[in-house]
Amino acid sequence: MVEGMAEIVVLGSANMDLVVRQPRLPEPGETMFGSSFATVPGGKGLNQAIAAARVGGGVAFLGAVGGDAFGRELREALAAAGVDVDAVALVERPTGTAHIAVLDGGENAIVVVPDANGVELPLDEVQRAAIRAARYLVVQFERPLPLVAEAVAFARSVGVTTVVTPAPALPLPEDFLENVDVLVPNAGEARELAGVDDETDAARALSRRAGTVVMTRGARGALVARGGEVVAEVPPFAVTPVDTTGAGDTFTGVLVARLAAGDTEPAALRAASVAAALATTRPGASPSMPTWSEVRPLL
Ligand code: RIB
């Protein structure tokens, strides 16, 4: 890490989440009532950056927003959490949005419209300098995959640890997984990427190519696989969820921040699991993420 530069760089999406609480999903052609509407800063990249910063990580965000009110709000939300936004690109497209239905019981259904996140930009010198100076690069798949793959390959080439949330699951470029140090899929993403039905077999298979696979399983906790074997299970932290949006992002952000802080892998995984569970007890993605002083007493 270089002095004055962030030790964690998150390259990813920033969306304004347009969230409706509703009892269930409507059928095609049906009109139904929801019970509330809110706009909430989200996007998997922004969420991971804020989650890491809330528990003490030094984070820079490499994202793209439009010159509209949503873009300004997202930059402000990141900066308010202490995230460095100097390298957030302003592009000539509307800021990305996510249209989220939160159902009774806390589950959600999400449609993302990438807009600014989808602008095809190469990895520029400012971004390369930020990655080179960091210890961890964290990415997801809501930015163009060629950019994500370029960033991951570059980070690997300069000795920066690469952490990848493969969400949404997409067909991967050749040799992509070989550049991944820590892959954090949920069970569905793991099954889809590995092309096998059993989630544990999927985690094992992926870990033969990526360094470590941490597969999140919602209320069933997480599983760690390395070299084709399951090496650890992370127990769940029991809560009553009201909104699971952003829980996976909280897990990844906190895992990286705690590893950067010097925690052992089991301690960082436990902190990530507790933080993700806490995030589900509050509405919204980024506003639901806990601070270190909330997580620490529960460990
Ligand atoms: O992972 C949750 C996030 O997915 C939401 O905040 C939404 O913006 C989508 O990117």
Side-chain angles (χ1 to χ4, degrees):
M1 186 197 155
V2 174
E3 210 177 323
M5 305 284 273
E7 59 184 347
I8 300 166
V9 167
V10 178
L11 183 144
S13 58
N15 298 325
M16 187 56 81
D17 290 353
L18 310 176
V19 186
V20 176
R21 286 203 83 96
Q22 55 197 74
R24 60 178 171 79
L25 293 177
E27 300 295 331
E30 180 188 4
T31 299
M32 64 184 287
F33 288 110
S35 57
S36 70
F37 171 74
T39 55
V40 182
K44 296 184 195 309
L46 175 148
N47 292 341
Q48 294 181 350
I50 289 183
R54 286 253 169 88
V55 296
V59 187
F61 183 63
L62 308 183
V65 297
D68 46 26
F70 283 169
R72 283 191 292 281
E73 276 183 60
L74 298 182
R75 278 180 72 106
E76 282 164 17
L78 285 157
V83 175
D84 180 342
V85 292
D86 284 354
V88 173
L90 190 60
V91 298
E92 289 190 0
R93 289 273 285 277
T95 296
T97 49
H99 304 257
I100 304 183
V102 178
L103 312 180
D104 290 348
E107 284 301 315
N108 60 54
I110 303 180
V111 177
V112 171
V113 182
D115 276 323
N117 297 301
V119 170
E120 305 269 350
L121 296 167
L123 196 66
D124 63 33
E125 272 318 306
V126 172
Q127 294 173 324
R128 282 174 194 268
I131 294 170
R132 196 184 287 112
R135 290 172 57 209
Y136 295 87
L137 171 72
V138 185
V139 301
Q140 335 71 38
F141 291 172
E142 287 183 345
R143 302 289 306 280
L145 212 44
L147 170 70
V148 172
E150 190 185 353
V152 168
F154 175 70
R156 171 55 76 94
S157 74
V158 292
V160 171
T161 301
T162 58
V163 181
V164 177
T165 299
L170 298 170
L172 297 177
E174 207 173 331
D175 297 336
F176 180 86
L177 284 177
E178 282 69 16
N179 285 328
V180 177
D181 292 307
V182 187
L183 185 74
V184 195
N186 65 24
E189 289 151 3
R191 283 198 305 264
E192 204 166 324
L193 287 179
V196 296
D197 289 338
D198 180 82
E199 63 185 34
T200 307
D201 286 345
R204 284 198 193 98
L206 293 170
S207 77
R208 288 190 196 99
R209 296 179 58 198
T212 297
V213 174
V214 180
M215 183 174 72
T216 59
R217 300 182 298 183
R220 292 178 294 124
L223 174 153
V224 184
R226 237 187 314 264
E229 298 299 334
V230 173
V231 295
E233 295 216 19
V234 186
F237 183 75
V239 290
T240 304
V242 299
D243 181 357
T244 58
T245 313
D249 302 327
T250 306
F251 186 98
T252 304
V254 173
L255 174 64
V256 175
R258 293 315 306 169
L259 288 172
D263 281 6
T264 61
E265 184 181 278
L269 286 165
R270 182 72 184 144
S273 168
V274 168
L278 281 183
T280 70
T281 64
R282 305 161 186 169
S286 60
S288 69
M289 290 160 183
T291 61
W292 184 233
S293 59
E294 292 174 295
V295 175
R296 193 178 184 175
L298 301 173
L299 297 175

